[in-house]
Amino acid sequence: MPGLTTTPSFPTHVPTHSLVVVDYRLLEAGDHDEITKLWHAATHLGFWYMRSHGVEWEVDAMFDVGAETLALPLSEKMKYEQGDNGDSFGYKARGTIATDLYGTRDTVEFLNIAQDDALAWPHAVHRTYPSTVNSHMERVVAPFVRKSMAVNNTLLAIFERLLGLTKGALAVLHATDAASGSEARVVKTPPNQSSAGIGAHTDFGTLTFLHNRLGGLQVLPPGSQEWQYVKPLPGHAICNIGDALAIFSGGILRSNLHRLMPPPGHQSRYERYSVAFFTRPKNAVVLRPLLEKSRTIADAVAKNPREEFNSGTTAAEWTSRRIRKLRLRNRKGPETWYESKGTEHQAMHLGAGAITTAA
C-alpha cells in the first residue's frame, strides 16, 4: 500500500508553516523552558509538533488497522455509517459532507471509534464496529486510546496551572465517569485529488493528537490570507487546541482554522492516511468560559467578550450541531454551512473568502 508504507519527499516550493517543536518528556518533567514553548504555541497559533510522546508503536499499528478497515467493501462499511443526525461515531463515506459554503463534496472517508467503546470493550457503549476493528481493539485500539488520553491529560494539567485554575478543574470536565464525544479516527484520502478533503474548520473538542505521514494539513495563521501546509515530521505528532478549550479559557488558548487538502507535489499520487485522537468534554458539560474559577480567564473575557463563547450549549450539542449541518443531506443553502461553524465565527465575517475557497 504505497501511501502507507512509502513517504515521498515533501516539496520545498509550497508555503509551509514552521510549528514549534515541544518535547513531551520535558513537559512531564516540568521543564520551564519547554512549558513556555507550549504556552506560546497554544496561545498564538494553537498548533505545535510534539516529539517523545511514547505512543509511536500504537500509532503505527493504528495506521495498519485503518488501512485494513477502510479497504473493506463499501457495502460492509456502510453498515456502520454515521447517518445524518449529528452522530460522530462510526464510518463516514466519501462525498457526504460539505467543504465550503457552495456545498462542494468532501473527498475523504474515515472511521471514528468512541473512547467510551474502547475503554469498555467488549461492552458496546455507543455502537459496534467492523470486524477489522474488533479484532484489534484489545491489543491496538484501546492502548492507543489510553495512551493518547494520558498525553492530552498531561497537557490539560499544564494548561490548568497556567490559566490560574485549581488542580483538576479541566480534568473533571473530561473524566470518564460519564459519556463523552472523545474518539479515535483513521482517515483515508484517495490519490490524485484536486479539491479539499475536509473544508476549513476549527476542531469541535478540547485537544487533538494527530499523526500524518504525507502532507495535506493546512493552517491559516492569524491575520493571514494565505493557507500554509504543515510538513509531517517522522516521530512527531501534530497537536492543536479545539473549540471547547478555547471557550473554557475565554479565548486565551486559540482554536485555529485548518483544513485538509491533497498532499503537495509527488505526494499527491499516493493514498493518504492519518490517525488522530480527539479529547472532548463530557457530553453534559456546558461550554462557557470558566470565569468564576480563574481571574486570568475573567480578565480575558472582560477585555474581549465573544458572543460564540456563550452559546449555552453542551459539548454534545455543540458537536452534534456542527456535524449535522455539514452533512449534505441536511443542506438547505449557504446558511447551513455558516450554521456548522464553531469559534471561527468572527474570522468568517472578517475574511470569508479566505476560509471558504477550496483552492
Side-chain angles (χ1 to χ4, degrees), residues 137-149:
M137 187 72 82
E138 189 171 353
R139 184 169 180 267
V140 176
V141 180
F144 170 74
V145 167
R146 290 192 179 95
K147 286 193 173 184
S148 300
M149 290 172 63

Side-chain angles (χ1 to χ4, degrees), residues 47-350:
F47 276 78
W48 61 94
Y49 292 117
M50 188 159 62
R51 66 187 177 198
S52 306
H53 51 70
V55 197
E56 291 84 359
W57 184 91
E58 290 78 9
V59 168
D60 287 344
M62 282 294 292
F63 271 98
D64 293 337
V65 172
E68 182 182 5
T69 301
L70 296 175
L72 291 170
L74 181 60
S75 59
E76 178 65 19
K77 292 181 287 189
M78 289 300 291
K79 296 176 183 177
Y80 307 93
E81 226 281 334
Q82 296 172 331
D84 300 308
N85 296 323
D87 293 334
S88 184
F89 309 133
Y91 174 69
K92 189 210 74 69
R94 288 183 60 200
T96 56
I97 64 173
T99 61
D100 56 32
L101 62 87
Y102 307 107
T104 304
R105 293 181 180 272
D106 73 286
T107 63
V108 305
E109 58 178 325
F110 56 72
L111 182 79
N112 293 336
I113 306 166
Q115 169 186 289
D116 297 337
D117 288 327
L119 297 182
W121 175 259
H123 173 66
V125 177
H126 297 287
R127 66 165 307 134
T128 59
Y129 301 92
S131 60
T132 50
V133 173
N134 298 337
S135 63
H136 297 291
M137 187 72 82
E138 189 171 353
R139 184 169 180 267
V140 176
V141 180
F144 170 74
V145 167
R146 290 192 179 95
K147 286 193 173 184
S148 300
M149 290 172 63
V151 168
N152 283 353
N153 287 340
T154 296
L155 299 179
L156 287 179
I158 293 171
F159 291 140
E160 283 174 347
R161 179 168 58 82
L162 297 179
L163 288 168
L165 294 163
T166 57
K167 184 177 181 180
L170 290 175
V172 71
L173 302 179
H174 301 82
T176 57
D177 59 347
S180 81
S182 298
E183 62 188 12
R185 174 178 296 176
V186 290
V187 186
K188 177 182 177 181
T189 305
N192 303 314
Q193 299 298 304
S194 59
S195 60
I198 300 176
H201 66 286
T202 53
D203 282 352
F204 307 161
T206 302
L207 286 167
T208 300
F209 184 48
L210 174 67
H211 312 272
N212 294 323
R213 291 174 174 172
L214 298 179
L217 174 67
Q218 292 184 337
V219 296
L220 187 67
S224 174
Q225 298 292 304
E226 180 185 48
W227 287 97
Q228 299 177 350
Y229 279 99
V230 176
K231 180 181 178 180
L233 298 181
H236 290 62
I238 298 171
C239 303
N240 65 277
I241 305 293
D243 286 349
L245 192 50
I247 293 171
F248 292 148
S249 71
I252 295 173
L253 301 176
R254 182 177 181 83
S255 182
N256 198 78
L257 277 168
H258 55 287
R259 66 183 184 181
L260 177 60
M261 296 299 290
H266 293 309
Q267 291 193 347
S268 66
R269 302 174 184 176
Y270 296 84
E271 290 179 334
R272 180 190 186 273
Y273 293 85
S274 61
V275 171
F277 181 77
F278 301 95
T279 292
R280 293 172 181 156
K282 294 186 288 188
N283 286 345
V285 170
V286 176
L287 299 185
R288 61 179 182 83
L290 302 178
L291 301 173
E292 73 285 357
K293 298 181 182 295
S294 165
R295 175 60 63 86
T296 301
I297 295 173
D299 289 346
V301 172
K303 292 177 182 177
N304 185 27
R306 293 178 58 175
E307 179 183 352
E308 68 271 25
F309 282 8
N310 292 285
S311 66
T313 63
T314 65
E317 292 166 343
W318 183 270
T319 298
S320 179
R321 168 186 60 83
R322 297 197 63 187
I323 294 172
R324 189 172 61 252
K325 296 296 184 178
L326 285 173
R327 297 286 294 200
L328 285 167
R329 287 183 180 176
N330 297 326
R331 177 179 169 82
K332 297 179 180 178
E335 67 273 17
T336 311
W337 167 255
Y338 288 111
E339 290 168 357
S340 75
K341 297 296 98 182
T343 60
E344 70 269 44
H345 173 77
Q346 289 183 343
M348 292 187 65
H349 292 285
L350 291 172

